[in-house]
Amino acid sequence: MTNSVSKSQTRSCYFGSRLTLTREKTLIAILSTILAPLTPEEKDALKKDIEKIPSSTCTPDDIEIISNLSVHTPGVYEAFLEFMSVKILPEDLDGILGLLDTLSTPAGMQQLTKISTPFEDLCKEKQTEIFLSWKFSNDPQLVAIYKTFSTAILSAAYNMSNSPHQAAIGYPGTDPVRSAPDYIPCIVRERYSIMNEKELLDPTLKFDVIIVGSGAGGGVCAAELSQAGLSVLVIEKGKYYHESEFTSDVPVAYKNMYLQGGSFAARKGEISVLAGSTFGGATTVNFLASLKPQHFVREEWAKMGLTHFTSSKFSDDLDKVYKRIGATTEGIKHSIPNQILIDGCKKLGCHIENIPQNTSGKSHECGWCLTGCKDGIKNGTSNSWLRTAAQHGARFVDQAKVNRVIIVDGKATGVEFQINNSDQTIRLNSSRVVISAGSLSTPGDLFKSGLKNKNIGQNLRLHPVTVVYGFFDNRQTDPFEGSIMTSISSSLENLDGEYYGSKLVVPHHTTDMFIFGVPWQGKKEHKEAMLKFRQSSSVAVLVRDKDSKGSVGYTKDDKISITYEISKIGKMSIVKGNIRAAMILCAAGAREIHTGSFGMKPFVFSPDESIEVNNPRFVKWLDEIEKYGMPVNGMNYFSAHQLGSCRMGVSPDTSATKPTGETWETRNLYVCDASLFPTASGVNPMVTTEAIALHVADSIIKAAKLD
C-alpha cells in the first residue's frame, strides 16, 4: 500500500478492521481517483480558470494546496476511515466490502464494467473514466459506489478542522467571531444542576412524572407539569453543555450533539439523516426557524378524528409557544444567500416571506447555529421551557441510556436506566412516564419496554431535502456568514392539489453540505468548485412527504436503522423544487448551477451569454432535469426533520397513541414529541411539537387530578 497510514491506524476503527490487503488496495485506487493531485497541465488550467473570476480571493498558494490535495495528504485517509465507521450501518457494510471484492478481480470487473482488469491495475485515465461513468449509470448499484465513496472521502477531507486545505478554500472551519478567546456572549445564564449517580440511588427518590427527553416535547412538558405542582425528573440521552462550552467546530459538534455522531445513512444509503441529541434536543441545534403549522395541515389532522387541531385551544397554544420562545420577524438581517433567494423569487414573481426567529427580536447574524447558540439568544428549550421547569423544582439527568419503562399490571410505574456508561442500573418510580426521545428513539424506548402496537416505529416521515447550488463570478457570497435561514418560498407547496409539495429555504453552509450539493465531476472540476466555495450560494428544497414508506428499527448494538422509500409525489416535489431553485439562482445572477443530481451535468452560462431564465440552452437543461427525474440513488438528499413514528390517532389499528398522547397499551405512559404527528407538517416541526406538548401536558394534569 502506498498510503502513509500504518496498519495499526487502519485497523483501529470499525470499517478499517474489515479491510483485507486486497480490499484496501482497491479502496485506495478508488479514493485516489476521486481525490488526486493534478498534473502540471491541469494545475495551470485550474489557475487560469480561477484567475478569470473577478470576485475570487484565492492566492497562488491556495491553488497549489488544493491542486496537491489527495488521499495521501496526512490525516485524510484516517478521517475517511473514521467517517465510514460512523456513517455506515453494520448490516450495510458487507455490501460495500463485497463491492470492493468484486472490483479487485478480473471476473468481477468484467461483470460490472466489461473490462477484465482489476480496478487498481487500470491506468489513472481509465479509472477516472469508469468511476465517472458510474455517476451517470442507470444501475443503482454502480451509482451507489460512486455516491458512497465520493461523498465519504471528500466530506472527510474538507471537514478536517484547521487544515491547510480548509483555509485554502476560504472556509474558516469555526465561527471566527464567537471562537475568539475574549468573546463575550450576549446573554450569560447559570448552569443547570445535573443529578449524579449517588443522588439517583437514593431509595426514597420518587417523582410524579419522569420525562425521557428534553427537546421540544419533553422541555415543554417539564415546564407545564412542574408549574402545575407535579414533581418532575427529565432524563436526557445526550450531554448537557453550557453555552460557554459550545464549539463551532462542526465535526466536534456533530460528535457531541447529534445522534450517532452526525448525519448517518438509512438502509441502502439513499437518504441521510441528521438529528440533534443533546440537552434541549434539536431545539439547541436548529436554525431559529419558528413556523406554525398551516391551516391545511391542521384541517387534515382534524379530518382524521383529531379535532383538537382545529380548536381555538390549539390556536391559543401556538400563540403561547410563540410568546414563550420569542418568535418574531423583528430583528432579522438577511445573509447574502437569503438575500439571493429573496431577489431571485421577486424577479420571478414567486412567493417569498421572512421566517420568524426564536430570538425575542434580537438580531442574530450567526451562521453556526447548528453547533448551538454560544450567544444564548436562541430560545431553545434549554433557554426557555426547561428554565421554567427548573424554577419550579424539576430535576435533570444527562447522558442517560434508558433500558425500559417499568410496567406493572399494564401501568407505567417508573424508568430503569444507566448514566455515563456506568454498569450501575438505576430504577426510579413515578406515577407517570413521558417518552419524548424524538421520532428516531421514542419507538426504541417503547419496544424495549415490551409494547407491541403495530404502528410503533412505522409511518416515519422525513421531509426530504435536496440542495441546488449556484456560483456567482462577480459576487463574493461567503455563505457561512450571517443568519442561516430567514426566508422561505412556498410557491410549490400544493403540487398535488392536496397541499403536498415543496418549500424553498436556505440551508447551512458547511463543507459537507457543499460537497453534498455539488457532486464530484472529475478531479480538476472538483478542485475548481472547492476554490469557488466563497462565490457559492444554495437553495434547499424541503418536501412535505406523502405516501412514503418509512420505518425505524434498531441493530443489535442499539444503533438506529431507518428504512425509507420516497413516494412518487415526493420525487415529483424534489424535481419540481430543483427546477424552481435553479431558476431562482439564475434570476439572481448565478453563472453556474448544480442540482445535486448525479445524472445531470451542471449548467454554465458562457462568458458572452446573458444570464437569463429564458435562455434557450438553460430552458433545455431544465427540461432535462425533469426528464431525468429521481432514479434510485440518483441524487444526494437528506432529512433534518423526523416525524410520525408513533403517530396519534383515534384507533390502535392506525395509531400508536390516543389523542391525548397516552399509549393504547399502557396506562400512564405517554409520548410527547414529533413522533406523534399524524402526517408530515411540511415546515420545521419545533413550534408544532411544542404546541402538541402543551396539549399532552394538559391531559396529564387532568388525569393526575383524578388520582
Side-chain angles (χ1 to χ4, degrees), residues 83-93 96 144 147-149 151-152 259-275 440 460 462 516 551-555 559-564 633 635-639 642:
F83 183 96
M84 293 292 286
S85 296
V86 171
K87 309 298 182 184
I88 304 299
L89 288 170
E91 53 262 48
D92 289 335
L93 181 57
I96 293 173
K147 177 180 179 179
T148 298
F149 291 118
T151 302
L259 272 178
Q260 297 183 185
S263 66
F264 58 95
R267 292 298 312 277
K268 300 182 180 178
E270 193 166 354
I271 187 170
S272 296
V273 173
L274 191 66
L440 300 184
L460 180 67
L462 293 180
F516 180 92
S551 64
V552 57
Y554 306 89
T555 64
K559 278 194 171 184
I560 295 164
S561 177
I562 295 169
T563 59
Y564 186 78
N633 279 327
M635 67 175 67
N636 282 321
Y637 66 111
F638 74 100
S639 161
Q642 301 86 39

Side-chain angles (χ1 to χ4, degrees), residues 398-435:
D398 72 346
Q399 301 180 81
K401 178 185 178 183
V402 171
N403 296 330
R404 66 185 178 101
V405 175
I406 301 169
I407 299 172
V408 178
D409 296 330
K411 181 189 293 186
T413 62
V415 177
E416 177 184 291
F417 61 99
Q418 294 161 290
I419 63 171
N420 300 324
N421 297 313
S422 170
D423 293 331
Q424 176 68 56
T425 297
I426 298 167
R427 295 180 182 88
L428 291 180
N429 295 323
S430 63
S431 301
R432 285 169 177 80
V433 175
V434 180
I435 305 296

Side-chain angles (χ1 to χ4, degrees), residues 142-267:
L142 295 179
V143 180
I145 301 173
Y146 161 84
K147 177 180 179 179
T148 298
F149 291 118
S150 63
T151 302
I153 184 61
L154 297 178
S155 295
Y158 290 100
N159 259 348
M160 291 174 60
S161 304
N162 302 313
S163 61
H165 39 283
Q166 267 195 350
I169 64 172
Y171 179 62
T174 58
D175 184 344
V177 176
R178 294 162 186 84
S179 295
D182 57 348
Y183 180 71
I184 300 175
C186 299
I187 301 173
V188 179
R189 293 181 172 88
E190 292 183 2
R191 296 184 65 90
Y192 281 90
S193 176
I194 304 297
M195 297 184 73
N196 59 40
E197 188 174 285
K198 182 179 179 180
E199 293 174 297
L200 292 166
L201 291 172
D202 180 350
T204 65
L205 203 59
K206 185 182 185 299
F207 295 90
D208 293 321
V209 184
I210 295 177
I211 300 173
V212 178
S214 60
V220 172
C221 241
E224 294 299 295
L225 298 180
S226 60
Q227 287 182 98
L230 300 177
S231 58
V232 173
L233 174 68
V234 178
I235 298 175
E236 170 56 47
K237 178 181 180 180
K239 184 176 180 180
Y240 166 60
Y241 294 95
H242 186 263
E243 287 90 341
S244 63
E245 297 169 325
F246 289 157
T247 174
S248 58
D249 188 329
V250 175
V252 175
Y254 280 160
K255 291 177 184 177
N256 291 348
M257 305 174 77
Y258 286 79
L259 272 178
Q260 297 183 185
S263 66
F264 58 95
R267 292 298 312 277

Side-chain angles (χ1 to χ4, degrees), residues 34-84:
I34 303 163
L35 193 61
L38 300 184
T39 64
E41 295 76 17
E42 291 169 330
K43 193 179 296 185
D44 288 342
L46 175 63
K47 183 178 179 181
K48 290 177 181 178
D49 288 340
I50 296 300
E51 288 174 347
K52 293 177 184 176
I53 302 172
S55 58
S56 176
T57 59
C58 292
T59 67
D61 286 344
D62 294 334
I63 297 172
E64 184 73 16
I65 289 169
I66 297 302
S67 295
N68 293 331
L69 181 63
S70 77
V71 68
H72 305 298
T73 298
V76 170
Y77 186 58
E78 297 97 321
F80 166 81
L81 293 173
E82 182 180 356
F83 183 96
M84 293 292 286

Side-chain angles (χ1 to χ4, degrees), residues 154 467 469 471 513-521 526 529 594 596:
L154 297 178
V467 182
Y469 266 87
F471 291 95
M513 179 62 75
F514 183 81
I515 289 158
F516 180 92
V518 184
W520 187 85
Q521 302 280 338
H526 155 72
H594 296 246

Side-chain angles (χ1 to χ4, degrees), residues 519-666:
W520 187 85
Q521 302 280 338
K523 63 176 183 177
K524 188 261 182 183
E525 291 80 3
H526 155 72
K527 291 176 184 251
E528 181 177 337
M530 296 307 300
L531 287 167
K532 295 190 293 187
F533 180 67
R534 296 184 70 183
Q535 282 74 44
S536 70
S537 188
S538 66
V539 175
V541 178
L542 185 149
V543 172
R544 184 185 180 213
D545 49 335
K546 174 186 180 183
D547 297 332
S548 297
K549 297 177 182 178
S551 64
V552 57
Y554 306 89
T555 64
K556 292 179 181 179
D557 59 352
D558 213 26
K559 278 194 171 184
I560 295 164
S561 177
I562 295 169
T563 59
Y564 186 78
E565 182 181 338
I566 193 170
S567 65
K568 288 183 179 179
I569 178 63
K571 290 181 178 181
M572 181 185 78
S573 299
I574 283 178
V575 172
K576 296 288 188 183
N578 283 350
I579 291 171
R580 180 62 58 84
M583 293 175 67
I584 288 168
L585 289 166
C586 172
R591 183 167 296 280
E592 180 178 334
I593 301 171
H594 296 246
T595 67
S597 299
F598 300 147
M600 291 294 302
K601 293 182 178 180
F603 184 87
V604 182
F605 287 95
S606 62
D608 59 348
E609 278 184 303
S610 177
I611 300 175
E612 299 284 350
V613 293
N614 61 0
N615 177 292
R617 282 201 315 115
F618 184 66
V619 172
K620 182 180 179 182
W621 181 72
L622 296 178
D623 289 340
E624 290 172 357
I625 294 175
E626 185 144 27
K627 290 176 183 176
Y628 177 74
M630 190 178 172
V632 176
N633 279 327
M635 67 175 67
N636 282 321
Y637 66 111
F638 74 100
S639 161
H641 304 158
Q642 301 86 39
L643 325 161
S645 59
C646 292
R647 68 183 182 187
M648 62 166 51
V650 296
S651 167
D653 293 332
T654 57
S655 61
T657 81
K658 301 173 185 178
T660 59
E662 187 177 30
T663 62
W664 290 104
E665 298 170 75
T666 304

Side-chain angles (χ1 to χ4, degrees), residues 295-610:
H295 68 90
F296 48 82
V297 175
R298 296 174 61 181
E299 291 164 4
E300 180 181 70
W301 293 358
K303 288 177 182 177
M304 298 169 72
L306 300 168
T307 56
H308 171 70
F309 289 108
T310 50
S311 69
S312 58
K313 176 63 167 63
F314 187 65
S315 297
D316 291 343
D317 284 346
L318 288 168
D319 290 341
K320 181 177 179 178
V321 169
Y322 255 39
K323 183 177 180 180
R324 184 65 185 92
I325 67 174
T328 176
T329 56
E330 294 177 10
I332 287 178
K333 293 182 180 179
H334 295 296
S335 63
I336 292 177
N338 276 281
Q339 193 61 53
I340 285 171
L341 174 60
I342 292 167
D343 293 345
C345 283
K346 286 183 176 179
K347 287 187 178 181
L348 295 178
C350 295
H351 165 269
I352 188 73
E353 63 179 279
N354 290 347
I355 299 176
Q357 311 280 290
N358 60 333
T359 62
S360 301
K362 296 180 178 67
S363 181
H364 191 47
E365 296 179 88
C366 173
W368 307 86
C369 277
L370 72 159
T371 63
C373 183
K374 207 171 181 70
D375 274 328
I377 288 177
K378 177 165 54 179
N379 293 318
T381 58
S382 63
N383 287 343
S384 55
W385 302 99
L386 291 172
R387 290 287 172 187
T388 300
Q391 290 164 7
H392 288 83
R395 308 292 300 277
F396 306 96
V397 177
D398 72 346
Q399 301 180 81
K401 178 185 178 183
V402 171
N403 296 330
R404 66 185 178 101
V405 175
I406 301 169
I407 299 172
V408 178
D409 296 330
K411 181 189 293 186
T413 62
V415 177
E416 177 184 291
F417 61 99
Q418 294 161 290
I419 63 171
N420 300 324
N421 297 313
S422 170
D423 293 331
Q424 176 68 56
T425 297
I426 298 167
R427 295 180 182 88
L428 291 180
N429 295 323
S430 63
S431 301
R432 285 169 177 80
V433 175
V434 180
I435 305 296
S436 302
S439 293
L440 300 184
S441 296
T442 287
D445 288 340
L446 298 182
F447 286 143
K448 288 185 290 186
S449 305
L451 275 70
K452 304 293 184 184
N453 181 289
K454 66 180 181 180
N455 295 290
I456 297 172
Q458 302 301 309
N459 309 302
L460 180 67
R461 296 291 178 262
L462 293 180
H463 282 174
V465 174
T466 59
V467 182
V468 179
Y469 266 87
F471 291 95
F472 296 77
D473 51 6
N474 289 309
R475 189 173 193 177
Q476 185 170 302
T477 60
D478 283 343
F480 43 82
E481 292 185 350
S483 302
I484 297 176
M485 187 182 292
T486 55
S487 54
I488 185 170
S489 175
S490 301
S491 56
L492 296 177
E493 69 182 11
N494 190 17
L495 288 174
D496 71 337
E498 296 182 354
Y499 287 98
Y500 283 87
S502 52
K503 290 182 170 63
L504 306 180
V505 292
V506 173
H508 64 282
H509 289 91
T510 55
T511 50
D512 54 338
M513 179 62 75
F514 183 81
I515 289 158
F516 180 92
V518 184
W520 187 85
Q521 302 280 338
K523 63 176 183 177
K524 188 261 182 183
E525 291 80 3
H526 155 72
K527 291 176 184 251
E528 181 177 337
M530 296 307 300
L531 287 167
K532 295 190 293 187
F533 180 67
R534 296 184 70 183
Q535 282 74 44
S536 70
S537 188
S538 66
V539 175
V541 178
L542 185 149
V543 172
R544 184 185 180 213
D545 49 335
K546 174 186 180 183
D547 297 332
S548 297
K549 297 177 182 178
S551 64
V552 57
Y554 306 89
T555 64
K556 292 179 181 179
D557 59 352
D558 213 26
K559 278 194 171 184
I560 295 164
S561 177
I562 295 169
T563 59
Y564 186 78
E565 182 181 338
I566 193 170
S567 65
K568 288 183 179 179
I569 178 63
K571 290 181 178 181
M572 181 185 78
S573 299
I574 283 178
V575 172
K576 296 288 188 183
N578 283 350
I579 291 171
R580 180 62 58 84
M583 293 175 67
I584 288 168
L585 289 166
C586 172
R591 183 167 296 280
E592 180 178 334
I593 301 171
H594 296 246
T595 67
S597 299
F598 300 147
M600 291 294 302
K601 293 182 178 180
F603 184 87
V604 182
F605 287 95
S606 62
D608 59 348
E609 278 184 303
S610 177

